[in-house]
Amino acid sequence: MQIINARHQFYLRGRKVALAFLLILGLGQSSIAQNNPSDNLINYEDQWIHYGFLIGVHSSKYMIRYSDYFTSPAMDTVHSIVPGNLGGFKLGFVINMKLTRSLDFRLLPTVGFYENDLSYRFTNGITQRELKDATMVELPMLIKYKSERRGNLAMYMVAGINPSLEASGKGDEQDVGEKLELRNWNLAIDVGVGLDIFYPFFKFSPELRYSYGLRNMLTDTENAFSVGLDKLTTQNLGIFITFEGGPSTKRKLGKKTKGAGQIKARQKKRLKQ
């Protein structure tokens, strides 16, 4: 029990450190942008689609609801069922398509590595831990609402759905009657906030995103681990960084080519606005 409590404290502190990191990074970049009047990737929005990649770490846990059977005399030896808060990481690609001046559509094929657990605490002081780890293939489809650019910075919010399918997991087909059996696909709602930071050749974006599972992951098959539960869903809090490539600084306009003079003129016009 002490190990689980220490782990909870570790992830709570980790979230606070991550939030502080994002704030410091944003303030630092804001001061740089104010001291530097030139904008990077000024023709970034002229290209309607961008590609990139993402990496992230996350903390995930189960959300449970007890069944009526849990309060029956048959389970009077079980004191409680407590979900743990465990970490993992994700890797994926970014496909960003421009819809309007302020809206983008983002498709993020991602592979996530998860660990989740439930601790069954008995009245005699014994705790039995049921660990479930899995590799999930996810396909978040998000709408991105972005603010006006201020120098090389822009804030944004994202929201959408995230279907996922389990690619592999340990123990899923072994001793099913003695293990917590869950469904192999899920559907979640994702919401998040982030900061676009424009560099000369790419766009870097730290992002904080929360995912709330909609599907009850319990199967129709009941056993000793699932009989006390009526509903089990997932929740996930992730910190991501994405890198997206920008268009070339020179673009053909009819038979002419946009050169340094035209870029400088465009910069001056933006500064006056």
Side-chain angles (χ1 to χ4, degrees):
M1 293 172 62
Q2 293 178 351
I3 296 176
I4 294 174
N5 290 335
R7 182 170 292 162
H8 286 179
Q9 294 176 2
F10 172 78
Y11 282 107
L12 286 173
R13 292 174 182 173
R15 292 176 187 176
K16 293 179 181 178
V17 171
L19 288 172
F21 170 75
L22 291 176
L23 289 173
I24 293 171
L25 182 61
L27 291 174
Q29 289 295 330
S30 179
S31 63
I32 293 174
Q34 289 175 358
N35 294 329
N36 184 7
S38 63
D39 293 347
N40 297 321
L41 298 177
I42 58 173
N43 57 341
Y44 186 88
E45 297 297 338
D46 293 344
Q47 184 173 324
W48 76 276
I49 188 168
H50 295 92
Y51 302 97
F53 65 94
L54 66 87
I55 57 176
V57 295
H58 66 258
S59 173
S60 60
K61 68 179 296 185
Y62 292 139
M63 301 292 290
I64 64 171
R65 184 174 67 197
Y66 291 115
S67 65
D68 294 336
Y69 188 78
F70 181 79
T71 59
S72 68
M75 292 194 69
D76 59 359
T77 59
V78 182
H79 175 270
S80 58
I81 304 174
V82 181
N85 212 345
L86 303 180
F89 65 98
K90 297 183 180 184
L91 302 170
F93 297 98
V94 178
I95 305 172
N96 189 94
M97 290 167 277
K98 177 182 176 182
L99 299 178
T100 67
R101 180 185 178 92
S102 301
L103 294 178
D104 291 347
F105 174 74
R106 291 171 72 80
L107 190 64
L108 309 172
T110 306
V111 177
F113 301 90
Y114 288 85
E115 277 192 344
N116 292 285
D117 72 347
L118 291 175
S119 294
Y120 293 78
R121 298 177 178 176
F122 296 89
T123 53
N124 59 4
I126 296 176
T127 299
Q128 183 174 353
R129 184 180 181 225
E130 176 69 7
L131 178 66
K132 176 82 172 176
D133 64 339
T135 301
M136 304 294 292
V137 178
E138 304 176 355
L139 192 63
M141 293 173 279
L142 308 177
I143 295 296
K144 175 180 177 180
Y145 177 75
K146 52 194 177 182
S147 70
E148 290 291 333
R149 236 177 104 162
R150 295 294 181 267
N152 290 319
L153 298 177
M155 298 292 295
Y156 68 86
M157 298 183 294
V158 291
I161 60 172
N162 181 6
S164 59
L165 177 67
E166 183 176 351
S168 65
K170 292 183 180 179
D172 293 343
E173 298 180 358
Q174 300 177 3
D175 301 325
V176 172
E178 300 177 0
K179 296 288 183 180
L180 179 66
E181 186 179 4
L182 301 179
R183 303 184 190 276
N184 63 356
W185 69 271
N186 194 11
L187 180 65
I189 292 179
D190 284 15
V191 294
V193 294
L195 179 69
D196 284 335
I197 306 172
F198 294 86
Y199 288 93
F201 299 104
F202 64 90
K203 184 180 70 171
F204 168 74
S205 304
E207 179 181 310
L208 184 68
R209 196 190 319 153
Y210 174 74
S211 182
Y212 179 79
L214 299 176
R215 192 178 192 218
N216 186 356
M217 298 300 290
L218 294 174
T219 64
D220 296 331
T221 303
E222 291 187 347
N223 55 41
F225 289 97
S226 62
V227 69
L229 300 175
D230 180 59
K231 186 176 183 181
L232 184 148
T233 58
T234 60
Q235 72 170 8
N236 182 274
L237 181 65
I239 301 171
F240 301 90
I241 55 175
T242 65
F243 297 86
E244 296 175 55
S248 172
T249 55
K250 293 184 178 181
R251 297 180 66 248
K252 290 185 177 180
L253 186 61
K255 296 183 180 180
K256 298 181 180 180
T257 302
K258 272 188 181 177
Q262 288 175 293
I263 292 176
K264 289 182 180 179
R266 191 169 177 177
Q267 291 174 343
K268 290 180 180 179
K269 183 177 180 181
R270 291 189 56 150
L271 289 173
K272 289 180 180 179
Q273 294 177 348

